Amino acid sequence: MVEGGFTKLLRKKLFFHLAQKYQPLGSSEPKEEEETHEECELKIIEQEKEVAVLAPKDACKCHKEDLAKALNVDLQTGLSECSVLQRRLKHGWNEFSVENTEPIWKKYLDQFKNPLILLLLASALVSVITKEYEDAASITMAVLIVVTVAFIQEYRSEKSLEELNKLVPPECNCLREGKLQHLLARDLVPGDIIYLSVGDRVPADLRLIEVTDLLVDESSFTGEAEPCNKTDSVLMEAGDITTLSNVVFMGTLVRYGKGKGVVIGTGENSQFGEVFKMMQAEETPKTPLQKSMDRLGKQLTLFSFGIIGLIMLIGWLQGKHLLGMFTIGVSLAVAAIPEGLPIVVTVTLVLGVLRMAKKRVIVKKLPIVETLGCCNVICSDKTGTLTANEMTVTRLVTSDGFQAEVSGVGYNGEGNVYLLPSKEILKEFSNVSVGKLVEAGCVVNNAIIRKNSVMGQPTEGALIALAMKMELADIKDTYVRNKEIPFSSEQKWMAVKCTLKNQDQDDIYFMKGAFEEVIQYCSLYNSGGISLSLTPQQKAFYQQEEKRMGSSGLRVLALASGPELGKLTFLGLVGIIDPPRAGVREAVQVLLDSGVSVKMITGDALETAMAIGQNIGLCNGKLKAMSGEELDQLAEAELSSTVKNVSIFFRTSPKHKLKIIKALQRAGAIVSMTGDGVNDAVALKSADIGIAMGQAGTDVSKEAANMILVDDDFSTVMNAIEEGKGIFYNIKNFVRFQLSTSISALSLITLSTVLNLPNPLNAMQILWINIIMDGPPAQSLGVEPVDKDTIKQPPRRITDTILSKSLILKIFMSAVIIISGTLFVFWKENPKGGINPRTTTMTFTCFVFFDLFNALTCRSQTKLILEIGFFRNRMFLYSVLGSFLGQLAVIYIPPLQKIFQTENLGVLDLLFLTVLASSVFIVSEFVKLCEKHCCQPKHTKGCHN
């Protein structure tokens, strides 16, 4: 079949584009056009067969020959340049592309869809129509500030998907046309041959075809703390990804050994790409604060329209001009809208974020801080989050019955070995049996500790760290290694044959491995440095100790030494664990006491997970565990009711984590997810609050999360929850103050309109009150320091709104007192001849003083002013003082008297108004006192939220 000219031209252009875009690193010699371009073009046209990617579960069952045939590659020479270009046309580059469906300007305009923002814009328009240009300008500026801040935060959060590209390694070693080339990882295509060595990031999904002692760290992908031992043999059956021992995945790290593999999946077709697709499908849920603000916006809208309708109806019935009544109604509606609310919310959240930053917590999205206040479930990844992701020896049992415990975490050698029960600190060979046990673990070892990090297998690193604590780390150098029998999963032990340096002695073997295997090579046991015959009773004792250590979640290694295999002397047992982080147990206890349920999700086995769970006090020791397989068997409805009562989920995959979070959310929980690995990314994005680890966390987990714990300290989650609760309370305080002031002002104007009375306040006075209502006194309520008892409060319910019944009652109570007091002054100062400047000045000042006293009592909804501290919020004191001095300026400075139509008041007048206005403060404080003694708060401990 002859191809059309257009198709030929298109292929030629595509080829030239790709050929120019792809260059091996370090290559500068141009290719011959006749030899490369034309020949490759002909081959591309002739060879229409397209190589498909292989799923890991299929590739693991393929023999090398079948693999080479399926991917159409010579395993000895690799792909040709022509084949690479052909496959790239089909599969694209080895990277992730985030489709930006909406332009930036549209995303910015979307911020204006908020009901409150729309109402503010409407009020600004009305202000322009009524020629209130100052009001219109201030409202418009407020809207722009709020919208811009919200847009910047949301735009930055959307960068999470793009950060996945950072995990794609930039370079790799690839075999092409018989030559080993150093290429960019993005250039890889299915069928490429890749060489791996220690420290390499795996550049794509590979099916291994050659392996030499290859250990791959998949902890950030599968949750397994221990590096996986990889093989090149064919698997008969394919389980989950943790069982695919002949496949390595993109983004994982080669810890030990070397290997060679064939690329079976690139970019979005890799296993890592599955995580990427799942993240693309997930939408970040709205926070409770956003939902509360939406509800409040709708409520204020209905209230505003109700006022307009009422005023127009009354005016129409009184025979007044319809357009005039409409103007009055809209003006009143504008007054009802708290313009400062979005600004105060933003300022409150920003200051909360700044406080969190000082506590080493980075918040990427403002409302997330508040969301923590109603978080009632924390799902935490175990490896690297609750634990340190550092294998550590914690217990020793010698062959002659000595037991010791080990302190200190990590690979820095800090800590001691304590002999039990005396707690004597052991060094070197102060106890011969313990010293010999530690010596063996140090010698039969290939790990190196450098700069507090391990190069090699973490388990071996733990044994080196143990030797450092015993001051025996250099004892390895006293031996010359003659032979090594490497560890394998079949034999489950490793041995080395050594001789002492500069000494003419017989060879000595050191062995470590699983107890049941090592004990078979032993005929003796060590007793204080003397080898005695191993009896069945001794074997039974060791087996009992091994089971006891294993049931407590420890990984148990047996150690032995001797002149030959089969005649070894058993030295004892070593218990190793990935220990909990410092402070985690205390943090979990505080969270449980405050009604927050903590759930651990891990890829580890049941015994290890249960041991860690009990160690950190999950659910006060009353643990219920569930495996990933059990999760798969449950129906959606049953899962939602079951997961609430489960504290530990073991043997889980990324899909299981997502399933758990979705089930909890369906059950009405506000879910926080902490994690550090690639495998946590989808769950972090899907959770109401995603929290990543700053040091151990991968780039993708940090970007998918809403918050980052800089020091990887799980306990700082408590600080975040405390801030979240405090912020919501501050917003409620502000709403109470502003709405009670708004209602009071509205009521005065409405009553005067309905009763056909003179207006007690003129336009400039109302504007001044509005400045106080939205200005510094109101703003300072949003920065009230978080109360120390806040963390003890149970989480808010998701159905709770800012305008709760209790808050509405307090708002109306304050409004009634303010209206009554102001009307009393208006009646008292109203002469028969009509309103004069003294009348409006007294009424105006009375209202302002009421406002300032109302702000004072609004600093807390539950605590008296003496309990929270009068001077704790200095910004509030400065704001109130400034407002008071401003009011005096309005009354006594002649130019301002003309603008505001005021006159001088006497000292007795000010004293009278102060005493009267303080009534709103006194009554509110008395109500708090009654609530405190009559309504004790219910305290819930949360294990099954």
Side-chain angles (χ1 to χ4, degrees):
M1 183 177 176
V2 181
E3 225 174 340
F6 176 75
T7 309
K8 267 189 163 184
L9 181 63
L10 180 63
R11 284 190 177 279
K12 193 165 185 176
K13 286 193 172 184
L14 274 171
F15 168 76
F16 279 126
H17 171 71
L18 292 171
Q20 288 169 1
K21 198 166 186 179
Y22 163 74
Q23 285 292 338
L25 294 184
S27 174
S28 58
E29 294 181 12
K31 303 285 184 181
E32 293 293 325
E33 285 189 8
E34 294 81 14
E35 183 183 346
T36 308
H37 295 172
E38 298 297 334
E39 289 181 10
C40 284
E41 185 187 358
L42 290 171
K43 288 181 182 178
I44 289 172
I45 294 170
E46 291 171 3
Q47 186 177 358
E48 293 296 333
K49 181 180 178 183
E50 295 176 341
V51 175
V53 294
L54 284 177
K57 290 188 177 182
D58 296 329
C60 70
K61 294 184 283 188
C62 290
H63 289 274
K64 294 178 185 178
E65 298 76 15
D66 298 332
L67 192 68
K69 187 176 179 181
L71 293 170
N72 193 25
V73 60
D74 186 332
L75 299 181
Q76 303 305 316
T77 61
L79 295 174
S80 67
E81 299 296 346
C82 301
S83 298
V84 170
L85 294 174
Q86 177 197 359
R87 295 178 192 205
R88 192 167 296 125
L89 286 170
K90 168 66 178 174
H91 301 288
W93 300 94
N94 181 31
E95 61 188 8
F96 304 107
S97 59
V98 180
E99 293 182 6
N100 193 5
T101 54
E102 287 187 346
I104 292 178
W105 62 266
K106 190 173 185 303
K107 290 180 180 178
Y108 185 80
L109 291 180
D110 283 345
Q111 301 295 325
F112 290 90
K113 293 180 179 178
N114 186 306
L116 261 181
I117 299 298
L118 291 174
L119 260 181
L120 285 172
L121 290 174
S123 66
L125 180 62
V126 171
S127 297
V128 171
I129 293 170
T130 56
K131 298 184 179 181
E132 298 288 342
Y133 298 116
E134 290 182 2
D135 251 4
S138 62
I139 293 169
T140 304
M141 186 59 66
V143 168
L144 289 174
I145 292 170
V146 172
V147 164
T148 303
V149 170
F151 166 74
I152 291 170
Q153 288 295 326
E154 292 195 15
Y155 180 75
R156 288 176 63 187
S157 72
E158 287 175 2
K159 293 292 183 181
S160 60
L161 290 177
E162 296 173 17
E163 281 299 316
L164 285 160
N165 288 316
K166 292 183 180 178
L167 276 185
V168 178
E171 300 174 8
C172 62
N173 295 312
C174 178
L175 181 68
R176 284 183 183 170
E177 295 186 335
K179 298 177 183 177
L180 189 61
Q181 303 179 27
H182 196 54
L183 304 178
L184 294 174
R186 71 188 296 267
D187 293 326
L188 298 181
V189 296
D192 266 325
I193 309 296
I194 304 299
Y195 283 77
L196 299 172
S197 57
V198 176
D200 285 351
R201 282 276 179 191
V202 179
D205 287 359
L206 309 178
R207 163 64 162 89
L208 297 169
I209 54 175
E210 288 181 18
V211 163
T212 306
D213 299 334
L214 185 64
L215 292 175
V216 178
D217 182 357
E218 296 181 344
S219 63
S220 66
F221 200 83
T222 64
E224 291 282 359
E226 193 73 17
C228 301
N229 191 32
K230 295 295 182 177
T231 68
D232 56 7
S233 55
V234 178
L235 300 182
M236 294 295 100
E237 291 186 4
D240 59 25
I241 59 173
T242 60
T243 64
L244 305 183
S245 58
N246 59 4
V247 176
V248 289
F249 300 103
M250 177 191 288
T252 55
L253 178 66
V254 177
R255 277 289 182 90
Y256 190 77
K258 57 185 179 180
K260 179 180 174 183
V262 185
V263 175
I264 58 173
T266 59
E268 293 181 22
N269 293 318
S270 64
Q271 191 69 30
F272 191 60
E274 291 297 315
V275 178
F276 175 80
K277 290 173 186 174
M278 289 168 68
M279 281 187 68
Q280 275 191 316
E282 281 303 311
E283 289 188 8
T284 306
K286 273 192 172 185
T287 69
L289 179 60
Q290 288 171 322
K291 292 172 184 175
S292 295
M293 294 303 296
D294 287 345
R295 283 193 290 268
L296 181 56
K298 291 173 184 176
Q299 289 165 357
L300 291 174
T301 302
L302 293 174
F303 181 71
S304 300
F305 282 120
I307 291 290
I308 293 171
L310 179 64
I311 296 299
M312 288 182 65
L313 177 62
I314 293 173
W316 178 69
L317 292 174
Q318 290 178 343
K320 294 180 180 178
H321 191 258
L322 193 61
L323 183 60
M325 292 314 302
F326 178 78
T327 304
I328 291 171
V330 172
S331 300
L332 290 174
V334 170
I337 299 173
E339 298 100 317
L341 182 56
I343 295 175
V344 167
V345 169
T346 302
V347 168
T348 304
L349 291 171
V350 166
L351 289 170
V353 168
L354 294 175
R355 286 195 296 266
M356 293 305 300
K358 291 179 182 177
K359 296 175 183 177
R360 311 291 287 163
V361 178
I362 296 172
V363 178
K364 296 169 58 188
K365 202 170 183 181
L366 290 179
I368 290 300
V369 184
E370 179 274 335
T371 311
L372 277 163
C374 52
C375 168
N376 50 21
V377 179
I378 296 179
C379 293
S380 178
D381 183 53
K382 180 188 78 70
T383 306
T385 305
L386 293 172
T387 64
N389 200 14
E390 295 176 334
M391 301 302 285
T392 305
V393 176
T394 58
R395 187 163 288 272
L396 306 174
V397 177
T398 66
S399 53
D400 50 355
F402 285 107
Q403 299 207 11
E405 66 178 14
V406 186
S407 66
V409 176
Y411 305 113
N412 51 22
E414 294 179 3
N416 291 299
V417 178
Y418 299 95
L419 188 67
L420 298 177
S422 65
K423 290 284 186 178
E424 175 192 350
I425 297 177
L426 301 179
K427 297 292 182 184
E428 297 182 336
F429 289 94
S430 58
N431 181 292
V432 176
S433 298
V434 175
K436 279 187 164 292
L437 181 64
V438 174
E439 176 192 32
C442 185
V443 175
V444 61
N445 202 309
N446 290 320
I448 299 171
I449 291 179
R450 189 173 295 157
K451 294 180 180 179
N452 296 338
S453 62
V454 65
M455 298 178 66
Q457 198 171 4
T459 302
E460 293 188 332
L463 294 174
I464 296 289
L466 172 65
M468 291 166 68
K469 294 169 187 176
M470 287 276 289
E471 298 179 359
L472 288 170
D474 296 331
I475 201 165
K476 186 178 182 179
D477 299 332
T478 63
Y479 289 90
V480 177
R481 184 179 294 188
N482 301 322
K483 180 184 177 183
E484 177 183 336
I485 305 172
F487 177 88
S488 73
S489 55
E490 289 79 22
Q491 67 186 28
K492 295 183 180 178
W493 57 266
M494 170 192 174
V496 293
K497 182 181 178 183
C498 304
T499 53
L500 281 167
K501 283 183 180 178
N502 305 321
Q503 293 189 29
D504 188 16
Q505 289 188 358
D506 293 336
D507 292 339
I508 181 170
Y509 281 90
F510 291 94
M511 177 185 283
K512 76 168 186 292
F515 167 75
E516 61 272 15
E517 300 296 330
V518 172
I519 199 71
Q520 294 179 21
Y521 292 88
C522 299
S523 58
L524 305 167
Y525 76 95
N526 174 61
S527 178
I530 302 171
S531 295
L532 303 176
S533 295
L534 188 62
T535 63
Q537 290 83 2
Q538 287 295 123
K539 285 187 180 181
F541 167 73
Y542 302 146
Q543 190 169 17
Q544 183 180 356
E545 286 296 314
E546 191 264 344
K547 283 186 177 179
R548 186 175 63 83
M549 293 168 74
S551 64
S552 63
L554 296 175
R555 181 180 179 186
V556 183
L557 286 179
L559 291 152
S561 66
E564 59 180 279
L565 299 179
K567 294 183 180 179
L568 299 179
T569 300
F570 186 75
L571 299 175
L573 302 169
V574 174
I576 303 175
I577 196 170
D578 182 10
R581 288 184 179 275
V584 165
R585 184 180 180 87
E586 293 78 8
V588 168
Q589 190 59 52
V590 171
L591 290 168
L592 291 175
D593 289 343
S594 66
V596 179
S597 175
V598 181
K599 301 182 186 298
M600 183 171 75
I601 306 177
T602 178
D604 277 342
L606 174 63
E607 293 78 13
T608 304
M610 291 290 282
I612 292 290
Q614 289 177 344
N615 199 339
I616 64 176
L618 274 187
C619 223
N620 298 316
K622 300 172 185 176
L623 299 177
K624 183 178 179 182
M626 180 180 287
S627 69
E629 289 183 5
E630 291 173 317
L631 274 171
D632 289 331
Q633 294 168 3
L634 290 177
E636 192 174 281
E638 190 180 0
L639 185 63
S640 295
S641 59
T642 305
V643 293
K644 292 189 294 182
N645 304 317
V646 178
S647 302
I648 293 175
F649 297 91
F650 63 97
R651 290 298 185 202
T652 58
S653 69
K655 290 183 179 178
H656 290 136
K657 292 183 179 185
L658 185 61
K659 205 171 184 180
I660 293 164
I661 287 173
K662 291 291 186 185
L664 287 166
Q665 287 173 334
R666 282 195 301 272
I670 298 297
V671 184
S672 170
M673 170 73 189
T674 69
D676 63 347
V678 176
N679 64 316
D680 300 320
V682 179
L684 287 172
K685 187 170 176 66
S686 180
D688 296 284
I689 309 117
I691 307 173
M693 302 292 115
Q695 293 180 352
T698 55
D699 286 346
V700 64
S701 67
K702 292 175 190 175
E703 287 303 321
N706 307 112
M707 294 173 58
I708 300 171
L709 306 183
V710 177
D711 296 328
D712 294 4
D713 187 356
F714 179 83
S715 60
T716 53
V717 175
M718 287 190 305
N719 297 330
I721 289 177
E722 188 177 51
E723 284 290 341
K725 290 178 179 178
I727 283 170
F728 192 78
Y729 295 149
N730 285 350
I731 292 171
K732 287 184 76 169
N733 296 341
F734 166 77
V735 168
R736 176 185 172 181
F737 167 71
Q738 194 165 60
L739 291 189
S740 58
T741 305
S742 294
I743 290 170
S744 301
L746 269 175
S747 300
L748 283 174
I749 299 167
T750 304
L751 285 171
S752 63
T753 303
V754 171
L755 300 175
N756 210 12
L757 295 173
N759 198 335
L761 302 171
N762 61 44
M764 290 309 296
Q765 291 169 353
I766 293 173
L767 179 61
W768 176 253
I769 290 170
N770 194 54
I771 289 171
I772 293 176
M773 189 174 72
D774 293 330
Q779 306 280 341
S780 61
L781 287 173
V783 297
E784 187 73 30
V786 176
D787 188 75
K788 64 183 187 313
D789 293 329
T790 300
I791 189 64
K792 299 175 184 177
Q793 298 298 318
R796 286 188 299 107
R797 291 190 298 267
I798 185 62
T799 53
D800 288 350
T801 61
I802 292 177
L803 284 175
S804 61
K805 289 181 180 178
S806 171
L807 187 63
I808 291 171
L809 288 174
K810 289 177 180 177
I811 288 170
F812 279 109
M813 178 191 74
S814 298
V816 167
I817 295 170
I818 294 171
I819 294 164
S820 302
T822 307
L823 285 176
F824 170 73
V825 171
F826 181 61
W827 169 79
K828 177 177 173 292
E829 297 294 332
N830 193 6
K832 295 180 180 179
I835 288 180
N836 57 34
R838 175 177 170 79
T839 305
T840 56
T841 304
M842 285 289 286
T843 307
F844 172 42
T845 306
C846 178
F847 194 96
V848 170
F849 281 15
F850 265 120
D851 233 14
L852 297 180
F853 275 109
N854 188 34
L856 183 63
T857 194
C858 285
R859 284 180 60 191
S860 173
Q861 301 301 313
T862 55
K863 289 198 170 185
L864 302 175
I865 191 68
L866 296 176
E867 291 179 296
I868 62 176
F870 193 81
F871 298 101
R872 194 171 68 157
N873 188 350
R874 294 195 174 184
M875 182 179 171
F876 175 81
L877 292 179
Y878 296 147
S879 300
V880 169
L881 180 62
S883 299
F884 177 72
L885 294 176
Q887 182 64 24
L888 294 182
V890 165
I891 296 172
Y892 294 109
I893 296 176
L896 293 178
Q897 286 180 336
K898 290 181 180 179
I899 295 171
F900 288 93
Q901 298 175 18
T902 57
E903 66 175 33
N904 294 345
L905 296 179
V907 176
L908 291 177
D909 291 329
L910 291 178
L911 188 61
F912 165 71
L913 293 175
T914 301
V915 172
L916 179 64
S918 66
S919 61
V920 70
F921 170 78
I922 294 169
V923 172
S924 295
E925 294 292 289
F926 180 72
V927 169
K928 290 179 193 176
L929 197 63
C930 292
E931 285 180 339
K932 190 173 182 180
H933 290 286
C934 300
C935 308
Q936 293 296 327
K938 293 180 181 179
H939 189 67
T940 56
K941 285 195 178 185
C943 209
H944 309 309
N945 286 323

